[in-house]
Amino acid sequence: MQPFDIKTSNLNIHGLKVGSGKEIVIALHGWLDNCHSFMPMLNNVEPIHTWYCIDFAGHGLSSWRSDDAHYYFVDYIDDLHDFITTLGFKKVHLVGHSMGAMVAGLYASCFSDYVKSVTFIEGIGCVTTPSEDVCEQLKNAVLNRGRLKNKKARFYKSKQQIYDARAQTTDLNNEHVAILMQRNIKQVSKDFVLTTDPKLKNHSGFRFDEAQCIGAIKELTAPSQLILGNEGYSFVKQNLEKYISYYNNLKIINVDGGHHCHMQSSELCFEHIQDFMQQNGAC
């Protein structure tokens, strides 16, 4: 896998590239993860397409947003479009995990001319807020931002200390935790700090409501598949039940594993994804 650093209009997007095929795949990771999320799938294979596994802004090695900016979900759609147009891609396959799956779906709904196929992994629809709760959502976000401004950066004595902290909040084994977190860590003198922007943990100031989410899903015309972990998040299955009838063309696959099933059942997930892209590769 080859590292890349692409300068878009206002960000440096870092990531890993693998493969040399004519068709382009862009892989989008989940919240607080990074492009290493896709390493177990891609490390020991020869993909027939060219994969760009990116670090979202504020994650991994990519740029943080400016001090006066925040991480609105919709801005990731802008970032992705900027990346695609900067590199001059005309049509791509999208593979997204968790938050990355939601970004992939909304992007494909807005920019259908750019998308050949979409693979969702443990993520579907959007995280929504009822319209009657919009003020409470915004209030909590503003108050949370105020608290974060006074919070000092945390320094860790070892990488293992960070691995152990992440292991408390995930279903991943120690090997997979280390694969993910080594890209989210940098050394400062004798200590270690996270490279992820602390503002990523701010409450969202705005979310779509269900009607808006449904409206976006109805615009998704690209062939789509959803890969679910048998022990994945109940939230994802609830979203699937809520929104499945609004998808025009959705294939559903179950594999062993939890929310990061693409790391835990990496070979099987890769086979499903590559086969699906081959079936839907025509422009």
Side-chain angles (χ1 to χ4, degrees):
M1 301 184 79
Q2 300 175 329
F4 64 79
D5 174 9
I6 304 298
K7 173 65 176 175
T8 61
S9 58
N10 59 355
L11 294 169
N12 282 87
I13 298 296
H14 288 251
L16 295 171
K17 177 183 176 184
V18 61
S20 57
K22 292 182 179 179
E23 296 198 22
I24 303 297
V25 185
I26 300 180
L28 309 169
H29 62 78
W31 180 62
L32 296 181
D33 287 349
N34 54 68
C35 68
H36 277 194
S37 173
F38 298 99
M39 284 184 66
M41 283 204 316
L42 298 172
N43 256 346
N44 299 309
V45 297
E46 295 183 6
I48 59 176
H49 305 322
T50 299
W51 286 63
Y52 286 83
C53 306
I54 73 171
D55 291 338
F56 277 124
H59 296 74
L61 304 182
S62 288
S63 301
W64 291 11
R65 301 208 190 281
S66 60
D67 289 344
D68 61 342
H70 296 279
Y71 290 88
Y72 289 100
F73 173 74
V74 293
D75 286 335
Y76 291 123
I77 311 303
D78 188 2
D79 296 341
L80 177 56
H81 190 62
D82 207 358
F83 182 81
I84 289 172
T85 54
T86 295
L87 290 177
F89 299 145
K90 302 301 181 185
K91 203 100 168 176
V92 302
H93 300 275
L94 296 177
V95 176
H97 169 245
S98 194
M99 181 186 79
M102 297 181 185
V103 172
L106 186 55
Y107 182 85
S109 294
C110 294
F111 294 96
S112 58
D113 289 347
Y114 284 86
V115 181
K116 289 185 176 183
S117 74
V118 185
T119 294
F120 306 114
I121 304 170
E122 275 287 305
I124 196 80
C126 299
V127 177
T128 61
T129 294
S131 56
E132 61 267 24
D133 294 338
V134 64
C135 288
E136 188 68 17
Q137 181 76 27
L138 180 56
K139 174 185 174 181
N140 289 337
V142 171
L143 293 176
N144 184 256
R145 291 172 187 174
R147 286 189 289 268
L148 185 68
K149 289 176 183 177
N150 300 318
K151 191 174 182 179
K152 295 182 179 179
R154 181 175 178 182
F155 290 84
Y156 298 84
K157 295 301 181 184
S158 67
K159 290 184 178 181
Q160 189 60 49
Q161 191 178 4
I162 297 176
Y163 298 161
D164 291 343
R166 178 63 190 262
Q168 299 300 312
T169 63
T170 184
D171 57 355
L172 292 174
N173 62 29
N174 292 338
E175 177 187 357
H176 288 149
V177 167
I179 288 172
L180 268 182
M181 295 308 295
Q182 63 183 328
R183 191 171 177 88
N184 278 351
I185 298 171
K186 67 178 179 180
Q187 188 166 359
V188 178
S189 188
K190 295 182 179 180
D191 295 322
F192 297 88
V193 297
L194 293 172
T195 63
T196 46
D197 191 339
K199 289 192 297 183
L200 289 167
K201 292 189 175 182
N202 278 343
H203 294 178
S204 177
F206 168 79
R207 289 179 182 152
F208 290 162
D209 62 21
E210 284 190 18
Q212 291 171 314
C213 181
I214 290 169
I217 290 170
K218 289 180 176 179
E219 295 295 320
L220 176 56
T221 57
S224 305
Q225 71 171 345
L226 169 63
I227 298 177
L228 292 171
N230 289 334
E231 299 177 9
Y233 282 0
S234 59
F235 162 75
V236 180
K237 294 180 176 64
Q238 290 165 5
N239 259 17
L240 177 60
E241 292 177 4
K242 187 184 301 181
Y243 298 122
I244 186 171
S245 63
Y246 301 106
Y247 282 91
N248 296 306
N249 188 0
L250 181 65
K251 178 181 179 181
I252 301 170
I253 295 169
N254 289 277
V255 299
D256 290 337
H259 188 56
H260 288 79
C261 58
H262 62 307
M263 300 183 76
Q264 297 156 328
S265 292
S266 56
E267 291 183 13
L268 183 57
C269 284
F270 177 76
E271 289 175 7
H272 282 305
I273 294 168
Q274 183 154 277
D275 288 348
F276 186 71
M277 291 189 298
Q278 281 186 272
Q279 295 166 14
N280 298 285
C283 294

